[in-house]
């Protein structure tokens, strides 16, 4: 998946596991950017009696680089605390939850939002608390407990000072991917008959269907994110581009007490991060995944080789014999002569001026896993889920919208569709532009903030 | 040291630095307790590499790294005692 359970250590710590990151110029207010950081993979909606929630002992952060050094200039921090109203019942709620102050809602979470930024002109970081005791909505349990969930969740969209908006709570998993097939030796069901170990070709099965995640969605003015508060208007101006990533951190020390509780102490240590989708998932090898999660993006140059010659690129002609003859021929040449500068640009540095006409999202030569967004590009009136390779510069890899078909875009890019951008003599295989796992998100998306659909209900949901 | 005290020391990890290593007066224990209450949170000490004589002392969401050969030596000695305790 995009980054769900993608590394050995974080797969054992779901509440701190970044799963997806989205960032796009808001289609309902183009003066603002919406950023959504998801955590907690594959939440089974029927998760009682202790339903999923954010970690009180986790520091969640969304980080923005606006000067190209891959070091955060603006950070939004989110801290949660759980309130237990009645410790003498096993119930999450003792009756229907009809409002965010409903007395029957027994176990609730409040959170704070703090902005840390170098915007005082002296280079010093300043902390501004934007909100405290904000209410995270309850999880979606069922028709008796959460009878009008959309209304309840809408109440939890909080307005913050400075034209900002925030929502933190459970959502439908908007990322779609055929998990069952892809991790069965790289199989894509629509092309199952062409696989090395063939099976009949069928449609894809969305492996995340019917599962939920926990989302932190933030809508802020563009000027909150740019250098010196500038308004980005020129697509070709480097100052219009920001790099975004989300993290989760735990304190260095944790002591298990004799009373069943635990205590943490010490500085915050990053245990998970996410910029572009699928990087730690399929680009970084198993032995380096945990280290990658703990590292800051500005130190990503060590992983350059994985971008230049990704393992998946080498697997495709093997798994699909005869389907990718041009890619197979390319791979017979020395690795040093065929480095994938296109992938380095798309995923590592941003695309420089002159590669795609009228477009750039270059943040400089430093390779770093950041989701890069050129904020001067207006939202598309007719979004194409294939983003930039589908001719829609408002979509991935220019930021990422909730519906963008990330699996297909990255499969196609790795299979060679984007290689001619830097190697004009290369002709992509016909199959490369058709690659897909055949999935879509059946639940759909909201047309307004926070854009990800209301969560699946515990009482009635389906994974088929 | 009595076995019970040693077990308590081991269970508390490295938090009660010094308390388990030597006998100290009741008055000193009370002073330590008062000082700890002022801090308002448990203290965790972390020695990653005794050879460097560095100890990370953590409290709340803060930590400080100190190079203190004597302190690290005492913690190493306590750790050796703890290693020999049979888990209950």
């Amino acid at each position: 998946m995009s980054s769900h359970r993608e590394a050995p250590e974080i797969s054992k710590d779901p509440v701190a596991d970044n799963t997806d990151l989205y960032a796009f110029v808001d289609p309902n207010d183009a003066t603002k950017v919406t950023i959504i950081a998801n955590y907690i993979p594959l939440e089974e909606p029927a998760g009682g009696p202790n339903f999923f929630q954010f970690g009180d002992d986790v520091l969640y952060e969304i980080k923005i680089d606006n000067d190209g050094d891959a070091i955060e200039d603006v950070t939004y921090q989110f801290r949660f605390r759980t309130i237990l109203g009645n410790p003498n019942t096993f119930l999450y709620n003792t009756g229907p939850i009809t409002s965010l102050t409903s007395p029957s809602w027994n176990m609730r979470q409040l959170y704070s939002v703090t902005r840390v930024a170098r915007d005082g002109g002296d280079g010093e970081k300043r902390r501004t608390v934007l909100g405290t005791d904000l209410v995270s909505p309850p999880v979606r349990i069922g028709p008796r407990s959460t009878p009008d969930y959309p209304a309840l969740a809408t109440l939890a969209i909080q307005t913050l000072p400075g034209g900002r908006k925030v929502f933190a709570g459970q959502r439908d998993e908007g990322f779609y991917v055929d998990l069952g097939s892809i991790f069965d030796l790289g199989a894509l069901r629509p092309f199952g008959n062409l696989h090395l170990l063939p099976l009949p070709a069928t449609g894809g099965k969305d492996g995340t269907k019917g599962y939920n995640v926990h989302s932190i969605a933030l809508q802020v003015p563009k000027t909150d994110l740019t250098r010196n508060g500038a308004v980005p208007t020129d697509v070709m101006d480097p100052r219009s581009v920001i790099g975004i990533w989300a993290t989760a951190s735990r304190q260095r020390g944790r002591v298990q007490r004799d009373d069943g509780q635990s205590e943490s102490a010490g500085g915050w240590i990053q245990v998970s991060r996410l910029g572009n989708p699928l990087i730690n998932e399929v680009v970084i090898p198993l032995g380096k995944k945990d280290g990658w999660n703990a590292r800051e993006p500005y130190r990503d140059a060590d992983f350059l080789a994985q971008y230049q010659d990704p393992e998946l690129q080498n697997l495709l002609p093997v798994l699909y014999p005869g389907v990718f003859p041009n890619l197979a021929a390319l791979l017979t040449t020395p690795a040093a002569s065929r480095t994938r500068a296109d992938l380095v640009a798309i995923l590592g540095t941003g695309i420089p001026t002159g590669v795609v006409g009228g477009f750039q999202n270059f943040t400089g030569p430093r390779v770093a896993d950041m989701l890069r967004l050129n904020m001067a590009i207006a939202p598309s009136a007719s979004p194409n889920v294939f983003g930039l390779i589908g001719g829609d510069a408002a979509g991935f890899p220019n930021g990422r919208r909730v519906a963008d078909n990330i699996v297909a875009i990255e499969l196609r890019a790795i299979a060679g569709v984007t290689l001619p951008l830097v190697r004009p003599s290369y002709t992509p295989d016909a199959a490369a532009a058709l690659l897909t796992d055949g999935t879509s998100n059946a639940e759909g998306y909201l047309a307004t903030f926070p854009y990800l659909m209301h969560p699946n209900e515990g009482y009635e949901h389906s994974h088929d | 040291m009595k076995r019970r005290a040693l077990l308590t020391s081991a269970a508390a990890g490295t938090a009660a630095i010094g308390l388990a290593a030597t006998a100290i007066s009741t008055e000193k224990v009370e002073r330590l307790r008062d000082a700890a209450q002022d801090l308002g949170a448990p203290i965790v000490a972390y020695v990653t590499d005794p050879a460097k004589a560095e100890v990370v002392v953590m409290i709340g969401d803060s930590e400080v790294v100190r190079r203190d050969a004597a302190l690290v030596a005492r913690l190493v000695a306590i750790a050796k005692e703890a290693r020999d305790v049979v888990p209950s």
Side-chain angles (χ1 to χ4, degrees):
Chain A
M1 285 175 283
S2 178
S3 184
H4 304 53
R5 299 172 47 78
E6 86 290 351
E9 280 300 313
I10 202 63
S11 69
K12 295 175 277 189
D13 188 7
V15 297
D17 188 357
N18 288 84
T19 60
D20 276 290
L21 175 67
Y22 305 92
F24 49 89
V25 176
D26 197 286
N28 295 302
D29 183 350
T31 68
K32 294 178 178 173
V33 167
T34 288
I35 304 170
I36 308 170
N38 285 354
Y39 298 86
I40 315 179
L42 295 173
E43 291 181 10
E44 167 58 43
N50 285 288
F51 293 95
F52 292 93
Q53 60 179 23
F54 289 104
D56 288 3
D57 52 356
V58 176
L59 170 63
Y60 300 95
E61 294 180 292
I62 293 171
K63 300 186 176 186
I64 314 294
D65 167 40
N66 59 28
D67 58 10
D69 60 4
I71 297 171
E72 67 270 24
D73 300 292
V74 180
T75 301
Y76 299 93
Q77 299 180 327
F78 306 85
R79 292 298 314 276
F80 293 82
R81 65 187 178 95
T82 300
I83 307 293
L84 181 58
N86 178 5
N88 298 314
T89 174
F90 70 92
L91 293 167
Y92 178 89
N93 56 298
T94 54
I97 303 172
T98 55
S99 76
L100 296 181
T101 57
S102 184
S104 60
W105 183 15
N106 192 34
M107 196 166 185
R108 64 188 75 204
Q109 275 198 309
L110 306 177
Y111 66 101
S112 64
V113 184
T114 302
R115 183 176 186 270
V116 184
R118 302 178 204 276
D119 52 8
D122 56 4
E124 293 296 314
K125 285 190 173 180
R126 286 179 172 76
R127 296 174 59 84
T128 305
V129 177
L130 299 176
T132 57
D133 292 337
L134 305 169
V135 182
S136 177
V139 296
R140 191 172 193 176
I141 301 169
R144 297 177 184 83
S145 294
T146 47
D148 187 359
Y149 196 84
L152 197 57
T154 302
L155 290 171
I157 298 173
Q158 319 271 352
T159 299
L160 301 176
R164 307 176 182 99
K165 202 184 281 187
V166 68
F167 171 90
Q170 194 177 44
R171 295 282 92 188
D172 168 55
E173 170 59 273
F175 181 60
Y176 47 98
V177 58
D178 192 340
L179 278 178
S181 184
I182 284 181
F183 288 105
D184 185 15
L185 289 179
L188 302 167
R189 287 185 218 258
F191 305 96
N193 56 319
L194 303 175
H195 195 274
L196 181 65
L197 303 171
L199 288 171
T202 65
K205 292 184 180 179
D206 179 12
T208 68
K209 183 177 185 299
Y211 290 98
N212 296 324
V213 292
H214 265 62
S215 301
I216 297 173
L218 184 67
Q219 186 189 79
V220 298
K222 292 176 179 175
T223 51
D224 224 29
L225 307 173
T226 51
R227 266 176 264 182
N228 305 319
V231 177
T233 55
D234 179 1
V235 173
M236 308 315 287
D237 185 341
R239 293 173 298 182
S240 297
V241 181
I242 56 172
I244 307 153
W245 68 103
T247 65
S249 300
R250 286 192 173 280
Q251 287 178 270
R252 186 187 304 278
R254 175 185 159 114
V255 175
Q256 190 65 41
R257 296 194 328 209
D258 293 330
D259 63 359
Q261 301 296 309
S262 63
E263 290 179 301
S264 298
W268 293 97
I269 308 298
Q270 181 181 303
V271 296
S272 180
R273 67 160 160 145
L274 179 55
N276 284 296
L278 299 171
I279 299 302
N280 207 21
E281 190 93 5
V282 297
V283 175
I284 307 301
L286 264 170
K288 295 183 176 178
K289 287 177 184 290
D290 293 333
W292 188 92
N293 262 336
R295 182 173 289 211
E296 295 97 342
Y298 77 88
R299 297 171 60 212
D300 277 347
D302 289 351
F303 303 105
L304 180 60
Q306 273 78 42
Y307 291 87
Q308 291 176 325
D309 187 18
E311 183 179 10
L312 183 57
Q313 169 188 242
N314 291 277
L315 286 173
L316 283 172
V318 178
L319 293 173
Y320 294 91
V323 175
F324 301 100
N326 296 348
L327 181 60
L330 178 74
L331 294 173
T332 62
T333 62
S337 70
R338 55 172 173 78
T339 55
R340 294 293 302 268
D342 57 320
L343 299 179
V344 173
I346 293 168
L347 301 170
T349 64
I351 299 172
T353 297
V355 176
V356 176
F359 175 81
Q360 63 90 21
N361 66 349
F362 188 59
T363 54
R366 177 173 283 178
V367 174
D369 183 47
M370 302 188 293
L371 187 59
R372 292 167 174 82
L373 177 65
N374 187 322
M375 297 185 290
I377 295 174
S380 173
S382 303
N384 184 319
V385 295
F386 296 108
L388 191 60
I389 66 168
D392 180 359
F396 185 78
N398 184 36
R400 179 185 172 191
R401 298 167 300 200
V402 290
D404 285 346
N405 191 337
I406 295 303
V407 173
I409 293 169
E410 292 199 357
L411 275 173
R412 293 175 188 192
I414 289 173
V417 162
T418 54
L419 185 52
L421 293 173
V422 296
R423 193 181 179 118
S425 62
Y426 180 77
T427 302
D429 294 295
L434 302 173
L435 284 178
T436 175
D437 67 354
T439 61
S440 60
N441 181 27
E443 286 85 359
Y445 303 92
L446 297 178
T448 57
F449 185 85
Y451 294 101
L452 291 174
M453 183 51 75
H454 299 298
N456 298 279
E457 183 181 76
Y459 184 78
E460 194 70 66
H461 66 277
S462 169
H463 300 302
D464 296 324
Chain B
M1 178 181 295
K2 291 180 180 176
R3 178 175 170 77
R4 181 182 174 82
L6 188 59
L7 282 171
T8 303
S9 170
T14 51
I17 301 167
L19 285 177
T22 56
I24 53 177
S25 68
T26 303
E27 183 186 356
K28 194 168 183 180
V29 168
E30 286 175 356
R31 282 210 308 272
L32 281 168
R33 186 186 298 133
D34 290 345
Q37 283 175 347
D38 287 346
L39 289 169
I43 306 160
V44 177
Y46 176 39
V47 180
T48 52
D49 182 359
K52 291 182 179 174
E54 284 182 352
V55 57
V56 183
V57 176
M58 298 170 259
I59 183 163
D61 59 2
S62 301
E63 61 186 36
V64 63
V65 181
R66 284 287 160 80
R67 180 163 290 195
D68 187 330
L71 176 57
V72 170
R74 291 178 68 189
L75 289 170
V76 167
I78 296 167
K80 284 179 177 173
E81 292 179 29
R83 187 187 57 189
D84 295 334
V85 173
V86 178
S88 55

